[in-house]
Amino acid sequence: MRIFAKTKVGRKNLMKDLALHGSLLISFLFIIGQLARFYLRKNTSTNLSTTKIQIMAGLSLGFLGAILIYFGIPINENVIIDFRHIAIIIAATFFGFPAALLSSVLIAIMRLFVGGINEFSIASSVLILLIGLVTGLFSTLSIRKESRMLVLSLVSTILIYITFYINLNILSDNPDQFKQISKIYWIFSLIGSIFAFYVAKYVFWSMELFIELENTKVRLSTLISHLGSGIVVETPNRRIEVVNQKIYDLFQIPQKENLIGLEVEKLSQKSTVDIVNPQQYLGRTLELLEAKETVLNEEVILGDGRIIERDFVPIISTDQ
């Protein structure tokens, strides 16, 4: 339980506090993005359904709203202002009704804990739930995300003002504080919503791109590992970046050996099979590297009598 100190918030101080509060919101959006990437990197094979994504988004943004409440700006011993509604707007705009409602439930519960259960926190919690319900319903509108965000921002800001009016005019009879907040809060709310929207858009877009890249990586890795040919992909400085199981089999390399990052010239040291005339093989390899030409089906004789065919395919980037 948190007890707010009775403070008198001046106009300049309120503007400064709202700006800092907006910075906190943006910072936590980036943190949520990084945590989501960490989770996805550890669970690349997990198929996330739309419902799971909505639940995860609702929980994450609900936690964000709870953080915003905890670090809210105290107006008096019972009333705080913050940007909790923006977390719900983001949930509704990008993830729909379930995420908006779930995030609002978590934020409403947090509001009951911060400052204790009283008529002020109950009124705020009810309005938070109403914001989640209304913004969730508005999120079903078939309009662009930008337009949807503006509509949700206006609707939620109106509901936040109703919260201020109830807590400051009806429950505590502080009309001067309400007027002071009314002159300032709406512009910070609108600007904060727009800025948070574009930050969230970037964060979620980068997450989608990350997922696609990870899925592509998994698909390519699966393809390479199941090819009948041995594959070694080396970096420009001739270190092994990708290697499949067939290379281990062809050169009879123990499975315990980790070849990733190994200099290609040292690959033969890991093998239990020699290459006939290794100096000639190395010289030919250096020649291929210098020429940067594709060579297919070039025969290489192994010490145990097997003859394998080597393909050398240089992949040259725009910066060579």
Side-chain angles (χ1 to χ4, degrees), residues 90-149:
I90 294 172
T93 302
F94 291 95
F95 302 100
F97 182 82
L101 192 59
L102 178 57
S103 63
S104 66
V105 170
L106 295 178
I107 294 171
I109 293 173
M110 181 63 178
R111 181 60 185 94
L112 293 174
F113 277 96
V114 174
I117 298 177
N118 51 49
E119 56 188 356
F120 296 92
S121 61
I122 291 173
S124 297
S125 296
V126 170
L127 266 296
I128 291 169
L129 292 174
L130 185 60
I131 289 174
L133 180 62
V134 173
T135 56
L137 291 173
F138 271 89
S139 70
T140 60
L141 296 175
S142 299
I143 56 178
R144 293 178 57 198
K145 279 188 172 66
E146 287 80 0
S147 301
R148 186 184 306 164
M149 179 274 303

Side-chain angles (χ1 to χ4, degrees), residues 43-177:
N43 299 272
T44 52
S45 59
T46 303
N47 291 322
L48 296 177
S49 63
T50 301
T51 301
K52 288 182 179 179
I53 292 174
Q54 289 175 329
I55 292 174
M56 292 174 63
L59 291 173
S60 300
L61 292 166
F63 176 75
L64 171 58
I67 292 294
L68 293 173
I69 290 177
Y70 185 79
F71 290 100
I73 305 165
I75 300 302
N76 56 44
E77 65 271 18
N78 294 306
V79 180
I80 57 172
I81 62 174
D82 50 62
F83 292 139
R84 71 193 81 164
H85 65 290
I86 296 181
I88 302 174
I89 292 172
I90 294 172
T93 302
F94 291 95
F95 302 100
F97 182 82
L101 192 59
L102 178 57
S103 63
S104 66
V105 170
L106 295 178
I107 294 171
I109 293 173
M110 181 63 178
R111 181 60 185 94
L112 293 174
F113 277 96
V114 174
I117 298 177
N118 51 49
E119 56 188 356
F120 296 92
S121 61
I122 291 173
S124 297
S125 296
V126 170
L127 266 296
I128 291 169
L129 292 174
L130 185 60
I131 289 174
L133 180 62
V134 173
T135 56
L137 291 173
F138 271 89
S139 70
T140 60
L141 296 175
S142 299
I143 56 178
R144 293 178 57 198
K145 279 188 172 66
E146 287 80 0
S147 301
R148 186 184 306 164
M149 179 274 303
L150 286 174
V151 171
L152 296 182
S153 297
L154 292 173
V155 171
S156 60
T157 300
I158 291 172
L159 293 174
I160 286 291
Y161 267 80
I162 293 174
T163 305
F164 293 156
Y165 182 82
I166 292 173
N167 283 341
L168 293 174
N169 279 30
I170 298 176
L171 297 180
S172 60
D173 191 24
N174 286 308
D176 291 338
Q177 286 185 331

Side-chain angles (χ1 to χ4, degrees), residues 198-309:
Y198 282 104
V199 170
K201 186 177 181 180
Y202 168 77
V203 169
F204 298 142
W205 169 80
S206 65
M207 285 171 54
E208 290 177 358
L209 182 61
F210 174 79
I211 293 171
E212 183 58 33
L213 289 174
E214 287 295 310
N215 288 337
T216 300
K217 179 182 176 181
V218 170
R219 288 193 291 267
L220 287 175
S221 178
T222 302
L223 174 64
I224 290 174
S225 64
H226 286 83
L227 286 175
S229 302
I231 300 292
V232 173
V233 178
E234 54 185 88
T235 61
N237 61 353
R238 302 227 61 208
R239 290 187 177 273
I240 296 176
E241 190 170 41
V242 177
V243 61
N244 68 350
Q245 180 60 42
K246 193 65 176 178
I247 288 294
Y248 281 84
D249 298 338
L250 283 173
F251 293 98
Q252 298 179 10
I253 300 172
Q255 292 294 327
K256 65 179 181 180
E257 297 289 351
N258 181 17
L259 302 181
I260 303 300
L262 181 72
E263 294 178 10
V264 179
E265 290 86 350
K266 296 181 180 179
L267 183 61
S268 60
Q269 299 176 10
K270 304 292 184 179
S271 173
T272 58
V273 180
D274 294 328
I275 295 176
V276 174
N277 201 340
Q279 292 303 318
Q280 181 181 350
Y281 174 82
L282 179 59
R284 175 58 177 157
T285 301
L286 295 175
E287 181 183 320
L288 293 175
L289 285 169
E290 182 68 25
K292 296 181 181 178
E293 294 179 357
T294 298
V295 176
L296 303 176
N297 305 323
E298 185 173 79
E299 291 187 349
V300 176
I301 303 175
L302 300 180
D304 59 4
R306 287 180 296 154
I307 299 176
I308 62 175
E309 292 181 341

Side-chain angles (χ1 to χ4, degrees), residues 170-187:
I170 298 176
L171 297 180
S172 60
D173 191 24
N174 286 308
D176 291 338
Q177 286 185 331
F178 176 74
K179 290 179 181 178
Q180 182 186 37
I181 294 171
S182 300
K183 295 176 182 178
I184 300 173
Y185 184 83
W186 69 271
I187 186 66

